[in-house]
Amino acid sequence: MIFIKSEEEIELLRESNLLVGKTLGEVAKHIRPGVSTLELDRIAEEYIRSQGAEPGFKGYGGFPNTLCISVNDVVVHGIPSARCILQEGDVVSVDCGTLKNGYYGDSAYTFEVGQVAEEVHRLLETTKESLYKGIEKAMAGMRIGDIGHAVQSHCENAGYSVVREMVGHGVGKNLHEDPQVPNYGKAGQGVKLKEGMVIAVEPMINMGKRHVFQENDGWTIRTRDRMPSAHFEHTMAIGKKGADILSTFEYVEQALRKQ
Ligand code: MG
Ligand code: MG
């Protein structure tokens, strides 16, 4: 069932998603070689709680932490760990959720640790571009397949592959609501988008083949060929003339400019 949000609900979702953007900005300030992913998780949890909100992922389906932190060939759902120390040249996807006033925020950004290989940098750039290609289609009257098709064609044209097993989703009083928002598909197919739907678009794009597997921890999703993967995510409200992006990379970009 797809819930259509009222203007009031969209403002509450904007608040929660703004907090996700600010939290990612706080995390961005601390990403460097030598920091553990558990330390980044602690920074995020403290910040979210200091703003009168709760981490959206902690305890969700039994997930143990505030952030999903996924390094290099980990696609998504990496569990923060004191033993996972970021190294020069790594890429690290940080996915953050918040729960504030009963509504969820959800957004993700893939960071470069120090200097990364040019081909890895290009994977990140293309994945981020594909997110905005998808968002261009996120308006009333378009269909879910239009979003997936835009993401898929942009990434496949660049020689990358699209993960199939995980998809974007509706966001509201639940972290994951209908409809599912795949990063692949056919233009003109699937659920028709309506004003007031709120969805997360989140391309997960692999440098090598699309296949992934889940580790024994029950969470970590890794590429089968162990090549790097990138992940960017925004939550948005569907409007008549386009998407109203509720999350933001502004604070991340501010932090990155200062480095
Ligand atoms: Mg997310
Ligand atoms: Mg999501």
Side-chain angles (χ1 to χ4, degrees):
M1 166 155 187
I2 298 172
F3 300 104
I4 300 294
K5 276 76 179 183
S6 66
E7 278 176 36
E8 291 76 11
E9 286 183 293
I10 288 171
E11 290 318 305
L12 292 169
L13 282 157
R14 192 187 308 282
E15 222 185 291
S16 197
N17 278 283
L18 177 63
L19 177 56
V20 173
K22 289 180 174 175
T23 306
L24 289 173
E26 289 303 307
V27 171
K29 292 177 191 168
H30 296 88
I31 290 184
R32 65 178 103 79
V35 72
S36 77
T37 57
L38 189 64
E39 173 67 7
L40 299 176
D41 186 74
R42 189 190 59 75
I43 289 161
E45 178 167 1
E46 276 186 22
Y47 183 73
I48 290 167
R49 293 194 190 281
S50 79
Q51 303 300 303
E54 282 168 49
F57 298 166
K58 200 165 189 174
Y60 185 88
F63 189 77
N65 291 81
T66 293
L67 300 175
C68 293
I69 307 187
S70 306
V71 180
N72 296 335
D73 61 337
V74 177
V75 181
V76 287
H77 302 168
I79 300 174
S81 160
R83 281 167 299 144
C84 183
I85 310 287
L86 296 182
Q87 314 279 337
E88 176 89 18
D90 284 347
V91 286
V92 55
S93 147
V94 179
D95 193 349
C96 180
T98 56
L99 178 60
K100 192 172 184 188
N101 300 316
Y103 289 85
Y104 280 92
D106 189 9
S107 177
Y109 195 95
T110 302
F111 296 91
E112 302 181 2
V113 183
Q115 199 70 30
V116 311
E118 180 54 34
E119 54 171 9
V120 178
H121 173 73
R122 230 180 305 129
L123 170 70
L124 267 51
E125 287 296 303
T126 304
T127 305
K128 200 206 286 182
E129 287 162 11
S130 79
L131 168 59
Y132 290 102
K133 296 280 181 193
I135 291 173
E136 280 174 23
K137 307 290 181 188
M139 74 173 102
M142 303 296 279
R143 289 180 185 270
I144 286 291
D146 293 311
I147 296 174
H149 179 74
V151 171
Q152 180 179 21
S153 47
H154 187 71
C155 294
E156 290 186 352
N157 286 342
Y160 303 133
S161 63
V162 176
V163 173
R164 301 290 206 274
E165 288 82 351
M166 272 88 42
V167 296
H169 50 91
V171 182
K173 287 182 182 169
N174 308 290
L175 177 59
H176 295 128
E177 296 184 352
D178 289 337
Q180 293 202 342
V181 186
N183 297 301
Y184 58 92
K186 292 201 170 77
Q189 293 199 356
V191 170
K192 192 182 261 188
L193 299 171
K194 293 199 181 108
E195 193 177 6
M197 285 183 184
V198 173
I199 59 169
V201 177
E202 50 177 316
M204 289 156 259
I205 306 300
N206 295 349
M207 183 180 281
K209 296 208 164 67
R210 68 176 178 83
H211 306 98
V212 298
F213 70 98
Q214 189 177 55
E215 292 203 340
N216 294 333
D217 62 14
W219 287 104
T220 308
I221 304 288
R222 208 181 275 276
T223 60
R224 228 189 267 172
D225 60 14
R226 304 296 171 108
M227 289 183 71
S229 185
H231 177 215
F232 289 86
E233 174 179 30
H234 271 315
T235 294
M236 67 211 67
I238 303 297
K240 279 205 178 82
K241 291 183 182 152
D244 178 4
I245 305 177
L246 305 177
S247 51
T248 175
F249 294 154
E250 190 187 324
Y251 299 92
V252 163
E253 282 156 4
Q254 237 174 57
L256 295 180
R257 277 196 298 271
K258 282 183 188 155
Q259 279 178 359

